PDB file of all heavy atoms in Angstrom:
ATOM      1  N   ALA F 598     -11.587  27.806   7.546  1.00 96.00           N
ATOM      2  CA  ALA F 598     -10.545  28.564   6.844  1.00 96.00           C
ATOM      3  C   ALA F 598     -10.845  28.505   5.312  1.00 96.00           C
ATOM      4  O   ALA F 598      -9.888  28.918   4.565  1.00 96.00           O
ATOM      5  CB  ALA F 598      -9.223  28.008   7.166  1.00 96.00           C
ATOM      6  N   GLY F 599     -12.015  28.153   4.893  1.00 94.00           N
ATOM      7  CA  GLY F 599     -12.360  28.165   3.453  1.00 94.00           C
ATOM      8  C   GLY F 599     -11.902  26.996   2.689  1.00 94.00           C
ATOM      9  O   GLY F 599     -10.863  26.318   3.009  1.00 94.00           O
ATOM     10  N   ASN F 600     -12.702  26.626   1.695  1.00 93.00           N
ATOM     11  CA  ASN F 600     -12.407  25.472   0.710  1.00 93.00           C
ATOM     12  C   ASN F 600     -12.158  24.185   1.429  1.00 93.00           C
ATOM     13  O   ASN F 600     -11.297  23.369   1.059  1.00 93.00           O
ATOM     14  CB  ASN F 600     -11.245  25.835  -0.150  1.00 93.00           C
ATOM     15  CG  ASN F 600     -11.584  26.915  -1.127  1.00 93.00           C
ATOM     16  OD1 ASN F 600     -12.680  26.956  -1.626  1.00 93.00           O
ATOM     17  ND2 ASN F 600     -10.705  27.867  -1.430  1.00 93.00           N
ATOM     18  N   ASN F 602     -10.854  23.761   4.462  1.00 94.00           N
ATOM     19  CA  ASN F 602      -9.688  23.870   5.289  1.00 94.00           C
ATOM     20  C   ASN F 602     -10.183  24.243   6.656  1.00 94.00           C
ATOM     21  O   ASN F 602     -11.047  25.135   6.764  1.00 94.00           O
ATOM     22  CB  ASN F 602      -8.693  24.851   4.877  1.00 94.00           C
ATOM     23  CG  ASN F 602      -8.062  24.424   3.466  1.00 94.00           C
ATOM     24  OD1 ASN F 602      -7.321  23.447   3.473  1.00 94.00           O
ATOM     25  ND2 ASN F 602      -8.377  25.090   2.372  1.00 94.00           N
ATOM     26  N   LEU F 628       1.166  30.643  10.224  1.00 96.00           N
ATOM     27  CA  LEU F 628       0.066  29.996   9.465  1.00 96.00           C
ATOM     28  C   LEU F 628      -0.280  30.914   8.299  1.00 96.00           C
ATOM     29  O   LEU F 628      -0.602  32.122   8.559  1.00 96.00           O
ATOM     30  CB  LEU F 628      -1.209  29.825  10.446  1.00 96.00           C
ATOM     31  CG  LEU F 628      -2.386  29.394   9.754  1.00 96.00           C
ATOM     32  CD1 LEU F 628      -2.255  27.974   9.144  1.00 96.00           C
ATOM     33  CD2 LEU F 628      -3.625  29.469  10.642  1.00 96.00           C
ATOM     34  N   ALA F 629      -0.097  30.496   7.122  1.00 97.00           N
ATOM     35  CA  ALA F 629      -0.350  31.280   5.913  1.00 97.00           C
ATOM     36  C   ALA F 629      -1.771  31.046   5.337  1.00 97.00           C
ATOM     37  O   ALA F 629      -2.062  29.794   5.036  1.00 97.00           O
ATOM     38  CB  ALA F 629       0.646  31.084   4.900  1.00 97.00           C
ATOM     39  N   LEU F 630      -2.456  32.009   5.245  1.00 97.00           N
ATOM     40  CA  LEU F 630      -3.834  31.864   4.613  1.00 97.00           C
ATOM     41  C   LEU F 630      -3.992  32.692   3.351  1.00 97.00           C
ATOM     42  O   LEU F 630      -3.571  33.838   3.352  1.00 97.00           O
ATOM     43  CB  LEU F 630      -4.937  32.468   5.689  1.00 97.00           C
ATOM     44  CG  LEU F 630      -4.834  31.741   7.048  1.00 97.00           C
ATOM     45  CD1 LEU F 630      -5.650  32.500   8.053  1.00 97.00           C
ATOM     46  CD2 LEU F 630      -5.365  30.302   6.917  1.00 97.00           C
ATOM     47  N   ARG F 631      -4.564  32.116   2.348  1.00 96.00           N
ATOM     48  CA  ARG F 631      -4.544  32.795   0.978  1.00 96.00           C
ATOM     49  C   ARG F 631      -5.787  33.656   0.920  1.00 96.00           C
ATOM     50  O   ARG F 631      -6.920  33.224   1.341  1.00 96.00           O
ATOM     51  CB  ARG F 631      -4.576  31.693  -0.147  1.00 96.00           C
ATOM     52  CG  ARG F 631      -4.582  32.421  -1.431  1.00 96.00           C
ATOM     53  CD  ARG F 631      -4.400  31.465  -2.548  1.00 96.00           C
ATOM     54  NE  ARG F 631      -4.908  30.155  -2.397  1.00 96.00           N
ATOM     55  CZ  ARG F 631      -4.542  29.059  -3.021  1.00 96.00           C
ATOM     56  NH1 ARG F 631      -3.530  29.160  -3.984  1.00 96.00           N
ATOM     57  NH2 ARG F 631      -4.975  27.933  -2.785  1.00 96.00           N
ATOM     58  N   VAL F 632      -5.647  34.812   0.274  1.00 97.00           N
ATOM     59  CA  VAL F 632      -6.738  35.653  -0.121  1.00 97.00           C
ATOM     60  C   VAL F 632      -6.699  35.806  -1.613  1.00 97.00           C
ATOM     61  O   VAL F 632      -5.736  35.314  -2.243  1.00 97.00           O
ATOM     62  CB  VAL F 632      -6.708  37.077   0.546  1.00 97.00           C
ATOM     63  CG1 VAL F 632      -6.862  36.974   2.106  1.00 97.00           C
ATOM     64  CG2 VAL F 632      -5.419  37.830   0.159  1.00 97.00           C
ATOM     65  N   LYS F 633      -7.769  36.304  -2.224  1.00 96.00           N
ATOM     66  CA  LYS F 633      -7.939  36.269  -3.622  1.00 96.00           C
ATOM     67  C   LYS F 633      -6.922  37.016  -4.484  1.00 96.00           C
ATOM     68  O   LYS F 633      -6.300  36.457  -5.366  1.00 96.00           O
ATOM     69  CB  LYS F 633      -9.352  36.852  -4.045  1.00 96.00           C
ATOM     70  CG  LYS F 633      -9.641  36.839  -5.551  1.00 96.00           C
ATOM     71  CD  LYS F 633     -11.017  37.353  -5.781  1.00 96.00           C
ATOM     72  CE  LYS F 633     -11.282  37.298  -7.245  1.00 96.00           C
ATOM     73  NZ  LYS F 633     -12.596  37.864  -7.580  1.00 96.00           N
ATOM     74  N   ASP F 634      -6.578  38.270  -4.060  1.00 96.00           N
ATOM     75  CA  ASP F 634      -5.758  39.130  -4.866  1.00 96.00           C
ATOM     76  C   ASP F 634      -5.226  40.297  -4.097  1.00 96.00           C
ATOM     77  O   ASP F 634      -5.478  40.420  -2.866  1.00 96.00           O
ATOM     78  CB  ASP F 634      -6.455  39.607  -6.163  1.00 96.00           C
ATOM     79  CG  ASP F 634      -7.770  40.290  -5.880  1.00 96.00           C
ATOM     80  OD1 ASP F 634      -7.963  40.848  -4.740  1.00 96.00           O
ATOM     81  OD2 ASP F 634      -8.605  40.350  -6.777  1.00 96.00           O
ATOM     82  N   ALA F 637      -7.828  42.287  -2.148  1.00 97.00           N
ATOM     83  CA  ALA F 637      -8.283  41.658  -1.060  1.00 97.00           C
ATOM     84  C   ALA F 637      -7.309  41.755   0.131  1.00 97.00           C
ATOM     85  O   ALA F 637      -7.631  41.949   1.241  1.00 97.00           O
ATOM     86  CB  ALA F 637      -8.600  40.174  -1.270  1.00 97.00           C
ATOM     87  N   LEU F 638      -5.969  41.648  -0.195  1.00 97.00           N
ATOM     88  CA  LEU F 638      -4.886  41.806   0.785  1.00 97.00           C
ATOM     89  C   LEU F 638      -4.909  43.311   1.350  1.00 97.00           C
ATOM     90  O   LEU F 638      -4.849  43.402   2.566  1.00 97.00           O
ATOM     91  CB  LEU F 638      -3.580  41.458   0.118  1.00 97.00           C
ATOM     92  CG  LEU F 638      -2.426  41.296   1.159  1.00 97.00           C
ATOM     93  CD1 LEU F 638      -2.641  40.095   2.095  1.00 97.00           C
ATOM     94  CD2 LEU F 638      -1.044  41.150   0.442  1.00 97.00           C
ATOM     95  N   PHE F 661       4.621  35.325  -4.321  1.00 96.00           N
ATOM     96  CA  PHE F 661       3.440  35.748  -3.595  1.00 96.00           C
ATOM     97  C   PHE F 661       3.725  37.026  -2.751  1.00 96.00           C
ATOM     98  O   PHE F 661       4.837  37.353  -2.554  1.00 96.00           O
ATOM     99  CB  PHE F 661       2.872  34.575  -2.658  1.00 96.00           C
ATOM    100  CG  PHE F 661       3.857  33.976  -1.729  1.00 96.00           C
ATOM    101  CD1 PHE F 661       4.024  34.475  -0.471  1.00 96.00           C
ATOM    102  CD2 PHE F 661       4.595  32.904  -2.176  1.00 96.00           C
ATOM    103  CE1 PHE F 661       4.935  33.868   0.382  1.00 96.00           C
ATOM    104  CE2 PHE F 661       5.561  32.345  -1.299  1.00 96.00           C
ATOM    105  CZ  PHE F 661       5.672  32.838  -0.020  1.00 96.00           C
ATOM    106  N   HIS F 662       2.657  37.649  -2.322  1.00 97.00           N
ATOM    107  CA  HIS F 662       2.745  38.924  -1.572  1.00 97.00           C
ATOM    108  C   HIS F 662       1.936  38.721  -0.275  1.00 97.00           C
ATOM    109  O   HIS F 662       0.896  38.181  -0.298  1.00 97.00           O
ATOM    110  CB  HIS F 662       2.178  40.132  -2.364  1.00 97.00           C
ATOM    111  CG  HIS F 662       2.845  40.136  -3.728  1.00 97.00           C
ATOM    112  ND1 HIS F 662       3.821  41.041  -3.996  1.00 97.00           N
ATOM    113  CD2 HIS F 662       2.547  39.507  -4.928  1.00 97.00           C
ATOM    114  CE1 HIS F 662       4.134  40.855  -5.281  1.00 97.00           C
ATOM    115  NE2 HIS F 662       3.379  39.981  -5.906  1.00 97.00           N
ATOM    116  N   GLU F 675      -0.096  34.902   8.501  1.00 98.00           N
ATOM    117  CA  GLU F 675       0.301  35.526   7.151  1.00 98.00           C
ATOM    118  C   GLU F 675      -0.922  35.409   6.254  1.00 98.00           C
ATOM    119  O   GLU F 675      -1.553  34.368   6.154  1.00 98.00           O
ATOM    120  CB  GLU F 675       1.464  34.703   6.583  1.00 98.00           C
ATOM    121  CG  GLU F 675       1.735  35.180   5.198  1.00 98.00           C
ATOM    122  CD  GLU F 675       2.887  34.311   4.493  1.00 98.00           C
ATOM    123  OE1 GLU F 675       3.279  33.358   5.056  1.00 98.00           O
ATOM    124  OE2 GLU F 675       3.323  34.723   3.415  1.00 98.00           O
ATOM    125  N   LEU F 676      -1.323  36.585   5.758  1.00 97.00           N
ATOM    126  CA  LEU F 676      -2.273  36.601   4.708  1.00 97.00           C
ATOM    127  C   LEU F 676      -1.552  36.880   3.423  1.00 97.00           C
ATOM    128  O   LEU F 676      -0.704  37.724   3.372  1.00 97.00           O
ATOM    129  CB  LEU F 676      -3.341  37.736   4.927  1.00 97.00           C
ATOM    130  CG  LEU F 676      -4.224  37.476   6.213  1.00 97.00           C
ATOM    131  CD1 LEU F 676      -5.284  38.623   6.341  1.00 97.00           C
ATOM    132  CD2 LEU F 676      -4.894  36.211   6.234  1.00 97.00           C
ATOM    133  N   THR F 677      -1.873  36.066   2.316  1.00 97.00           N
ATOM    134  CA  THR F 677      -1.064  36.121   1.120  1.00 97.00           C
ATOM    135  C   THR F 677      -1.918  35.960  -0.159  1.00 97.00           C
ATOM    136  O   THR F 677      -3.038  35.267  -0.100  1.00 97.00           O
ATOM    137  CB  THR F 677       0.103  35.059   1.210  1.00 97.00           C
ATOM    138  OG1 THR F 677       0.966  35.259   0.100  1.00 97.00           O
ATOM    139  CG2 THR F 677      -0.484  33.666   1.194  1.00 97.00           C
ATOM    140  N   TYR F 678      -1.444  36.404  -1.275  1.00 97.00           N
ATOM    141  CA  TYR F 678      -2.062  36.034  -2.530  1.00 97.00           C
ATOM    142  C   TYR F 678      -0.910  35.762  -3.537  1.00 97.00           C
ATOM    143  O   TYR F 678       0.218  36.222  -3.347  1.00 97.00           O
ATOM    144  CB  TYR F 678      -2.908  37.275  -3.088  1.00 97.00           C
ATOM    145  CG  TYR F 678      -2.182  38.428  -3.560  1.00 97.00           C
ATOM    146  CD1 TYR F 678      -1.867  38.519  -4.957  1.00 97.00           C
ATOM    147  CD2 TYR F 678      -1.738  39.456  -2.755  1.00 97.00           C
ATOM    148  CE1 TYR F 678      -1.181  39.632  -5.426  1.00 97.00           C
ATOM    149  CE2 TYR F 678      -1.000  40.524  -3.260  1.00 97.00           C
ATOM    150  CZ  TYR F 678      -0.722  40.627  -4.581  1.00 97.00           C
ATOM    151  OH  TYR F 678       0.015  41.638  -5.026  1.00 97.00           O
ATOM    152  N   ASP F 679      -1.154  34.923  -4.493  1.00 96.00           N
ATOM    153  CA  ASP F 679      -0.159  34.534  -5.480  1.00 96.00           C
ATOM    154  C   ASP F 679       0.118  35.628  -6.403  1.00 96.00           C
ATOM    155  O   ASP F 679      -0.848  36.341  -6.928  1.00 96.00           O
ATOM    156  CB  ASP F 679      -0.545  33.295  -6.283  1.00 96.00           C
ATOM    157  CG  ASP F 679      -0.526  32.038  -5.414  1.00 96.00           C
ATOM    158  OD1 ASP F 679       0.198  32.048  -4.404  1.00 96.00           O
ATOM    159  OD2 ASP F 679      -1.263  31.101  -5.761  1.00 96.00           O
TER     160      ASP F 679
END
Side-chain angles (χ1 to χ4, degrees):
N600 292 322
N602 295 293
L628 174 65
L630 303 167
R631 184 174 28 204
V632 296
K633 182 178 179 181
D634 54 22
L638 190 66
F661 51 93
H662 306 264
E675 174 183 7
L676 298 181
T677 189
Y678 74 94
D679 289 338

